[in-house]
Structures are given as structure tokens and as C-alpha cells.
């Protein structure tokens, strides 16, 4: 079973077979489980927002706008220095950027992926490569309109692909291990 959810990716390995007991239609033998506690849709969205913040860092730094660490492991907590904070304001900024990127993540399809990879034009309903977003300064008191927030879609796509590839590789590594340990004559 492979479950790619909002927060995590979980997988379980087992064997399903017809039950010898007439009370039950089938029998399930559980072998092992695994997953990635950060590889989920909402966590990936935060990771994309964090990356988009980085793509616009100089402009946002000038406007004194901070960002929160996304819910993801292996984040360089020193990347933005004092502009990376654990405050409500910084979290709101992360969420505001994430909300602008949601259509990019949710509406990707093979044609859009190919267009991005080939540097061709593409459209995603509800998404702009350059947009206006309301963010808060580090003091939390001032709402600032950022008129020209730009994203590099190819970089965002590559980040997504890398994280998903890691999750798939993790799944198959777990599957290989389970098969080696639980193989039988059937």
C-alpha cells in the first residue's frame, strides 16, 4: 500500500491471499512499513514557497520581510540569516506565498511538465509566474504589497521531482528489503 498524503508518504508491505478459514474471504500478512514523514502535498507546498522566497530574497530583504522554516527536514536554517524566523508573521508569509503556488502544485500534468522542461510557454489556471502578494514585515505590524514576486518554474519543478524521486527510491529500497526477507516458494 502506497499512500501519498497531505503531510506524509506512508507505505506498508504485505501479502494478500485467499483465506483457508471460511469465515474470512482473505488473509493479510503484514511484513513491514516505511515512509517519509515530510513527503506530502502540504509539506511540498511549503518547501516550494520557501524556495520561491529564496528566488526573491534580495527584494524581500529590502522590504524587511522574513520567512518561516517549512515543515521539511534538511533545511538550511542559516540560508536567510535573521530573515528566517520562527514567528507568526514569518509563518503567515510562508503560507501567503504557498497559497499563490498551490495551483502550480495541484494542476501540474505531463504536458505542463514537458513545457516547463523544454522552456516553452504554458498556462496553469489560477497561477501566474509573476504575481502580487501581501506579506508582513519582520515587526509584524506592516502589511506590504509585493507587486513583482517572480518564480522560476523550472527550479520549482526540479525541486519537486527531486523530492518525489527520493520518496519513490525509498519505497523501492523498502520493497527490495521486504522481498529479500520474506520471499517464499510461491
Amino acid at each position: 500500500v502506497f499512500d501519498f498524503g497531505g503531510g506524509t508518504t506512508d507505505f506498508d508491505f504485505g501479502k494478500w491471499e485467499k483465506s483457508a478459514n471460511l469465515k474470512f474471504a482473505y488473509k493479510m500478512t503484514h511484513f513491514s512499513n516505511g515512509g517519509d514523514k515530510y513527503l506530502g502535498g502540504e509539506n511540498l507546498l511549503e518547501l516550494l514557497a520557501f524556495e520561491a522566497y529564496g528566488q526573491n530574497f534580495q527584494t524581500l530583504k529590502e522590504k524587511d520581510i522574513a520567512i518561516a522554516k517549512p515543515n521539511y527536514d534538511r533545511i538550511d536554517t542559516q540560508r536567510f540569516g535573521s530573515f528566517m524566523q520562527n514567528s507568526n508573521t514569518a509563518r503567515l508569509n510562508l503560507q501567503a506565498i504557498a497559497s499563490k503556488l498551490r495551483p502550480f502544485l495541484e494542476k501540474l500534468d505531463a504536458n505542463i511538465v514537458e513545457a516547463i522542461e523544454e522552456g516553452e510557454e504554458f498556462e496553469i489556471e489560477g497561477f501566474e509566474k509573476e504575481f502580487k502578494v501581501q506579506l508582513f514585515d519582520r515587526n509584524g505590524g506592516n502589511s506590504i504589497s509585493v507587486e513583482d514576486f517572480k518564480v522560476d518554474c523550472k527550479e520549482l519543478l526540479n525541486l519537486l521531482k527531486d523530492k518525489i524521486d527520493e520518496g519513490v527510491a525509498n519505497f523501492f529500497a523498502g520493497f527490495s528489503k521486504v522481498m529479500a526477507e520474506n520471499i517464499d516458494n510461491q
Side-chain angles (χ1 to χ4, degrees):
V1 176
F2 188 93
D3 175 19
F4 180 82
T8 64
T9 296
D10 302 298
F11 40 84
D12 287 88
F13 303 103
K15 182 169 81 172
W16 179 87
E17 58 191 327
K18 189 170 176 125
S19 176
N21 184 336
L22 296 176
K23 291 182 181 179
F24 305 101
Y26 66 91
K27 172 185 163 186
M28 178 67 83
T29 305
H30 183 263
F31 295 143
S32 173
N33 64 344
D36 185 326
K37 66 181 181 176
Y38 298 108
L39 185 64
E42 294 302 313
N43 291 335
L44 284 172
L45 189 57
E46 283 192 5
L47 188 63
L48 292 179
F50 187 74
E51 184 60 32
Y53 176 89
Q55 293 174 2
N56 292 271
F57 182 60
Q58 287 308 316
T59 301
L60 299 173
K61 181 180 178 182
E62 290 167 11
K63 295 178 186 273
D64 203 30
I65 295 172
I67 193 84
K69 177 184 175 290
N71 187 29
Y72 223 88
D73 64 346
R74 298 181 304 249
I75 295 294
D76 177 5
T77 57
Q78 301 304 310
R79 181 175 177 189
F80 303 120
S82 65
F83 286 87
M84 191 162 145
Q85 298 180 342
N86 186 23
S87 68
N88 288 338
T89 301
R91 173 116 331 259
L92 284 171
N93 289 341
L94 181 70
Q95 293 304 316
I97 297 167
S99 71
K100 294 288 189 175
L101 297 177
R102 184 174 293 280
F104 176 82
L105 179 64
E106 292 182 349
K107 296 180 181 177
L108 275 177
D109 63 25
N111 293 329
I112 295 168
V113 168
E114 183 178 351
I116 293 170
E117 290 174 338
E118 298 298 322
E120 299 170 357
E121 287 301 312
F122 66 93
E123 282 190 33
I124 299 175
E125 183 183 336
F127 173 73
E128 299 292 330
K129 295 171 221 165
E130 185 174 330
F131 51 84
K132 175 181 173 181
V133 61
Q134 288 294 124
L135 302 172
F136 294 95
D137 67 11
R138 286 198 288 179
N139 297 327
N142 299 317
S143 176
I144 298 170
S145 180
V146 179
E147 303 289 330
D148 56 346
F149 196 100
K150 299 178 182 101
V151 293
D152 181 329
C153 294
K154 192 167 191 169
E155 280 188 31
L156 296 183
L157 178 63
N158 287 336
L159 179 62
L160 269 179
K161 288 170 78 174
D162 288 348
K163 295 302 177 187
I164 292 170
D165 284 350
E166 287 173 16
V168 171
N170 188 15
F171 171 82
F172 281 109
F175 182 70
S176 294
K177 183 176 185 253
V178 164
M179 291 303 291
E181 294 171 353
N182 294 288
I183 199 81
D184 61 27
N185 293 335
Q186 299 173 354

